C-alpha cells in the first residue's frame, strides 16, 4: 500500500507525487516512508547519521544502459566516458565501470580515482584547460586513451614532455565552436569568450602543427559546449555541424582523424522542466556527424549520476519569523552548494509517510551556515516538521558531494550506496580530528592553552 500524497492546485511547483513518479528508484511506502530501491532512507539515517549522500546503484545502471541503447539504436559506433567531476565516489565509479563506461577526467585526483575503481587506462580521456606537467606525466605513464589539447601552448608543453620521456601522446584538439548552449552562464563552455578550447577558425592550422610535433599523435577533434543543456538539440546540432566541417577540411588536407569527441552536457529535469532524451542527442549526432563514418565519444556526467542521488538531512528546528516560516536543517551550502551558486532548484521531500500526507504551507528551507545565501528554497510547500524529522533533496547525485567543502569547519558528509535491499557506507563521515590533522602551529606561537 502506498500512502496518498497531497497535491496543491495553487502551487506552481510539482507535487510530491509528481516528483516521485519521475524517479522510479524512489517510492513513498505507507509504513517505511521514503524508500530508495528497497531500503528505507530512515534506516540509512539511523546507521549513517545526517547529512548523508545516498546513491542508487540501480538508477546508475539504468541510465548508463539507456544512453548506450540510444546510441546503439541510432547505429552509431560510440563509446561513453563518464565525467568523473560529477561524482567521483569510488563505488559510483565501480558501478559504472561494470557497465562498460570509460572515464573523462580533469585532474590527477580524478585520474587516480578512475584507475582505483578499475576503469581501464585505455578508456580514459583527460580534459581541462590547465593540466599541469605532473598531471601530464601521470597520463603518459598510464598510457591513457586520449588527452584533449586546449591550446597551442599546451600542445608545445606536452610535446616536449612526451618526447623527453620517449612516449607518444594520443591527442584530440578541443575546439570552441562559439555556440550558445543557452544554459547557466557559469556552466557554458562553448562560446568565444569562454576559456575552453581553441577557436574553430584556428583549428586547422593547429591540428596540422600537432601532426609535426614529436611525441604527439593527433587522433581526433573534440568539443563540449556546456552543462545542464535542456533547451533542445539546436545547440548540439550547430556545434557538431562545425565539427563535421572541420573534419572534412582536415581530411582534405591529408590529416588523420580517427574519431570525434562530442563532449557531454545533456541536462536533467530538476523540477518539471522539459529535458531532451538521449535518443534526441543520438539523433543529432547521427544527422551531423554520422556521414563522416567515424566513431564518436560522449562524456556525460550529470545525466547519469544526478537523478541517482539524494542528500538526506535532518530538521534542526522550525522557526517562525515575522513573515516567514523557516525550516533549519543540519545540511548547509557547504554540503549542497548548487542553490547558492547557480540558483538551482531541487525537489525536497519529507521522509516520513505521515509528514508526506500532512497539510502543506510555505517555508524557507535553510542551513545553519552564517550566510544568507545558505538557503535551499524559498516559499516551498512543505508540512510542519519537528526537530529530527528527515528530508531528502532530490537529484543530488551530481555536483553535490563533489563540490562540497568544510566551510564553517563543517565535516564532509557521509556517502552511502544502495543496491536493491542492501546498502553500505562508501565514504565515512569526516571527523573533526581529521579536519585538524593536516594543520600545523609554528613553534614560535608557543603551546596552545587548554
Amino acid at each position: 500500500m502506498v500512502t496518498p500524497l497531497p497535491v496543491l492546485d495553487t502551487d506552481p511547483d510539482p507535487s510530491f507525487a509528481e516528483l516521485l513518479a519521475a524517479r522510479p528508484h524512489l517510492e513513498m511506502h505507507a509504513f517505511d516512508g521514503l524508500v530508495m530501491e528497497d531500503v528505507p532512507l530512515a534506516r540509512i539515517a539511523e546507521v549513517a547519521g545526517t547529512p548523508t549522500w545516498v546513491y542508487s546503484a540501480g538508477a546508475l545502471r539504468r541510465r548508463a544502459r539507456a544512453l548506450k541503447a540510444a546510441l546503439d539504436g541510432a547505429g552509431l559506433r560510440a563509446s561513453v566516458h563518464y565525467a568523473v567531476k560529477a561524482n567521483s565516489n569510488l563505488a559510483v565509479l565501480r558501478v559504472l565501470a561494470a557497465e562498460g563506461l570509460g572515464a573523462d577526467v580533469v585532474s590527477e585526483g580524478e585520474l587516480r580515482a578512475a584507475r582505483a575503481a578499475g576503469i581501464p587506462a585505455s578508456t580514459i580521456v583527460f580534459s581541462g584547460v590547465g593540466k599541469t606537467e605532473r598531471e601530464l606525466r601521470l597520463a603518459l605513464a598510464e598510457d591513457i586513451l586520449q588527452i584533449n589539447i586546449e591550446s597551442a601552448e599546451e600542445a608545445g608543453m606536452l610535446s616536449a614532455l612526451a618526447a623527453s620521456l620517449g612516449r607518444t601522446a594520443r591527442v584530440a584538439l578541443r575546439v570552441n565552436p562559439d555556440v550558445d548552449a543557452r544554459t547557466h552562464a557559469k556552466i557554458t563552455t562553448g562560446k568565444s569568450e569562454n576559456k575552453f578550447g581553441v577557436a574553430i577558425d584556428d583549428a586547422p592550422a593547429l591540428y596540422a602543427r600537432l601532426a609535426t610535433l614529436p611525441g604527439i599523435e593527433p587522433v581526433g577533434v573534440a568539443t563540449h559546449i556546456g552543462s545542464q543543456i535542456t533547451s533542445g538539440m539546436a545547440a548540439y546540432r550547430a556545434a557538431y555541424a562545425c565539427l563535421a566541417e572541420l573534419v572534412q577540411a582536415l581530411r582534405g588536407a591529408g590529416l588523420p582523424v580517427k574519431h570525434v569527441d562530442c563532449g557531454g552536457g545533456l541536462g536533467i529535469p530538476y523540477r518539471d522542466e522539459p529535458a531532451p532524451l538521449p535518443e534526441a542527442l543520438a539523433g543529432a549526432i547521427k544527422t551531423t556527424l554520422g556521414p563522416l563514418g567515424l566513431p564518436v565519444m560522449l562524456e556525460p556526467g550529470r545525466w547519469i549520476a544526478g537523478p541517482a542521488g539524494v542528500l538526506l538531512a535532518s530538521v534542526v528546528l522550525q522557526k517562525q519569523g515575522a513573515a516567514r516560516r523557516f525550516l533549519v536543517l543540519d545540511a548547509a551550502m557547504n554540503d549542497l552548494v548548487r542553490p547558492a551558486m547557480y540558483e538551482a532548484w531541487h525537489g525536497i521531500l519529507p521522509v516520513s509517510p505521515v509528514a508526506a500526507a500532512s497539510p502543506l504551507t510555505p517555508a524557507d528551507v535553510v542551513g545553519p551556515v552564517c550566510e544568507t545565501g545558505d538557503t535551499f528554497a524559498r516559499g516551498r510547500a512543505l508540512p510542519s516538521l519537528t526537530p529530527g524529522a528527515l528530508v531528502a533533496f532530490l537529484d543530488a547525485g551530481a555536483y553535490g558531494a563533489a563540490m562540497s567543502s568544510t566551510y564553517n569547519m563543517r565535516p564532509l558528509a557521509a556517502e552511502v550506496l544502495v543496491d536493491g535491499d542492501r546498502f553500505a557506507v562508501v565514504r565515512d563521515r569526516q571527523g573533526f580530528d581529521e579536519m585538524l590533522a593536516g594543520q600545523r602551529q609554528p613553534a614560535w606561537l608557543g603551546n596552545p592553552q587548554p
Side-chain angles (χ1 to χ4, degrees), residues 2-358:
V2 177
T3 303
L5 299 175
V7 177
L8 293 184
D9 293 337
T10 58
D11 184 7
D13 291 333
S15 67
F16 296 163
E18 290 167 336
L19 289 169
L20 287 172
R23 294 156 180 86
H25 54 292
L26 295 171
E27 188 176 2
M28 184 66 74
H29 287 189
F31 299 104
D32 291 329
L34 190 59
V35 171
M36 177 179 284
E37 298 193 30
D38 296 319
V39 178
L41 291 178
R43 187 189 308 165
I44 292 176
E46 289 177 1
V47 173
T50 59
T52 291
W53 306 94
V54 188
Y55 311 125
S56 164
L60 291 168
R61 294 187 187 106
R62 283 194 300 273
R63 297 185 73 81
R65 293 171 187 176
L67 178 57
K68 293 173 72 174
L71 297 168
D72 291 343
L76 296 168
R77 288 185 292 157
S79 58
V80 179
H81 307 264
Y82 168 71
V84 175
K85 62 180 175 287
N87 185 321
S88 57
N89 184 279
L90 293 181
V92 169
L93 298 181
R94 190 70 176 270
V95 170
L96 297 177
E99 293 299 314
L101 270 59
D104 169 55
V105 304
V106 295
S107 70
E108 176 181 348
E110 289 186 1
L111 175 52
R112 291 186 181 278
R115 296 292 289 123
I119 297 177
S122 60
T123 66
I124 295 177
V125 178
F126 202 139
S127 303
V129 71
K131 309 174 197 72
T132 65
E133 180 178 311
R134 175 187 167 108
E135 289 173 327
L136 292 174
R137 281 181 180 273
L138 178 62
L140 290 168
E142 290 284 337
D143 193 25
I144 66 170
L145 173 64
Q146 175 177 298
I147 298 173
N148 286 350
I149 292 292
E150 302 219 14
S151 66
E153 294 81 359
E154 184 181 29
M157 181 172 69
L158 178 59
S159 171
L161 182 59
S164 71
L165 297 172
R167 299 271 187 169
T168 298
R170 292 174 292 274
V171 304
L173 180 61
R174 178 173 175 175
V175 299
N176 188 324
D178 195 19
V179 168
D180 186 356
R182 301 182 66 82
T183 187
H184 195 284
K186 293 180 181 178
I187 53 176
T188 187
T189 59
K191 298 173 69 176
S192 59
E193 64 262 31
N194 298 141
K195 65 182 180 180
F196 302 96
V198 300
I200 197 158
D201 291 342
D202 299 333
L206 182 52
Y207 197 92
R209 182 185 168 201
L210 293 177
T212 69
L213 291 176
I216 296 286
E217 179 192 358
V219 294
V221 294
T223 196
H224 176 64
I225 59 173
S227 182
Q228 184 54 8
I229 299 171
T230 58
S231 57
M233 290 295 110
Y236 279 119
R237 285 193 295 267
Y240 297 157
C242 291
L243 285 188
E245 291 181 9
L246 174 60
V247 170
Q248 291 167 344
L250 296 176
R251 283 174 163 177
L255 295 167
V257 181
K258 296 182 180 179
H259 54 244
V260 177
D261 186 338
C262 297
L266 192 63
I268 61 173
Y270 282 96
R271 191 174 175 275
D272 54 1
E273 65 272 28
L277 297 174
E279 288 80 6
L281 178 60
I285 294 171
K286 181 177 182 179
T287 299
T288 53
L289 298 172
L292 298 175
L294 292 173
V296 297
M297 305 161 65
L298 276 83
E299 295 156 0
R302 185 194 313 268
W303 194 87
I304 290 176
V310 303
L311 174 61
L312 194 57
S314 297
V315 173
V316 175
L317 56 86
Q318 186 168 239
K319 172 184 174 180
Q320 183 60 56
R324 296 174 178 271
R325 175 170 70 107
F326 295 93
L327 284 175
V328 184
L329 307 181
D330 63 355
M333 63 186 290
N334 71 290
D335 300 301
L336 181 61
V337 74
R338 295 190 70 255
M341 181 176 288
Y342 303 125
E343 301 83 39
W345 194 97
H346 283 267
I348 305 172
L349 296 183
V351 170
S352 162
V354 174
S358 297

Side-chain angles (χ1 to χ4, degrees), residues 417-439:
L417 183 72
V418 171
D419 197 350
D421 61 358
R422 303 173 295 180
F423 73 93
V425 175
V426 293
R427 182 176 180 174
D428 292 333
R429 185 176 310 282
Q430 188 179 33
F432 291 104
D433 289 342
E434 294 175 85
M435 296 177 71
L436 297 173
Q439 298 190 38

